[in-house]
Amino acid sequence: KDVVVYTNINLHCGDGKEKLTHKKALIKYPNNFCSEFITPAEPNTSIRHLQIGSRSWLIMYKSYDDWRSNVGDGEIKIIYENTSGYHKVKYPLYAIDFILAADEKMYAIDFNIAPGIRGTGIEKILKGSEVVNLIKNAFYK
């Protein structure tokens, strides 16, 4: 069984993670945190829920050359946009990454309250000032 070892818990965007067999992880990183590697139904693919104030998007990430969906050569595609709606998560800006697993269950694998927006396509939809206003307005709601 493979695991994802967190070699540096302070890094983001796929950095600071290594996929190894459980046995190799115990030998190489005996004191590091790790989690089970969930095999995606679609290889090297994840879905991100990105919330900016009252607007949200579902974004598909796919890597052509790495097990991490957001690393290497690949594609990022916006698959859904909700222009007016808050969720139960009480942060003005956050992202939750999901994997649709081979068992057809959806797993939340990461929660981030400071997600990067650059390169997602959102920067073509919103200006920086609009992002700031959406976040500020969320504090007043």
Side-chain angles (χ1 to χ4, degrees):
K1 194 99 174 150
D2 285 341
V3 296
V4 176
V5 177
Y6 301 91
T7 58
N8 185 332
I9 60 172
N10 296 311
L11 295 179
H12 294 283
C13 300
D15 293 327
K17 298 176 183 82
E18 193 172 331
K19 185 177 108 174
L20 301 163
T21 65
H22 184 253
K23 186 176 182 178
K24 286 182 183 176
L26 284 172
I27 294 166
K28 190 172 180 181
Y29 300 106
N31 298 312
N32 289 56
F33 292 112
C34 72
S35 61
E36 177 184 355
F37 175 75
I38 299 168
T39 302
E42 178 77 25
N44 315 330
T45 303
S46 67
I47 302 293
R48 170 170 278 197
H49 169 90
L50 174 64
Q51 187 80 36
I52 304 173
S54 63
R55 294 179 70 176
S56 64
W57 294 264
L58 290 180
I59 304 169
M60 188 266 313
Y61 287 78
K62 181 170 184 64
S63 177
Y64 299 129
D65 55 10
D66 198 281
W67 64 271
R68 297 163 293 180
S69 61
N70 62 340
V71 174
D73 185 35
E75 66 179 294
I76 300 171
K77 182 167 53 172
I78 296 171
I79 55 177
Y80 175 77
E81 179 179 2
N82 180 9
T83 57
S84 61
Y86 288 97
H87 297 278
K88 294 184 183 212
V89 178
K90 301 295 183 196
Y91 289 96
L93 173 66
Y94 68 89
I96 302 172
D97 294 333
F98 296 91
I99 297 283
L100 176 60
D103 64 7
E104 298 187 3
K105 293 180 182 172
M106 186 76 80
Y107 293 89
I109 59 165
D110 190 36
F111 176 72
N112 187 342
I113 60 168
I117 297 171
R118 186 175 311 168
T120 63
I122 303 301
E123 70 275 18
K124 296 174 186 171
I125 297 170
L126 296 175
K127 296 177 185 168
S129 59
E130 291 174 298
V131 171
V132 169
N133 285 332
L134 284 166
I135 292 170
K136 282 189 341 188
N137 289 338
F139 279 111
Y140 297 116
K141 297 272 180 200

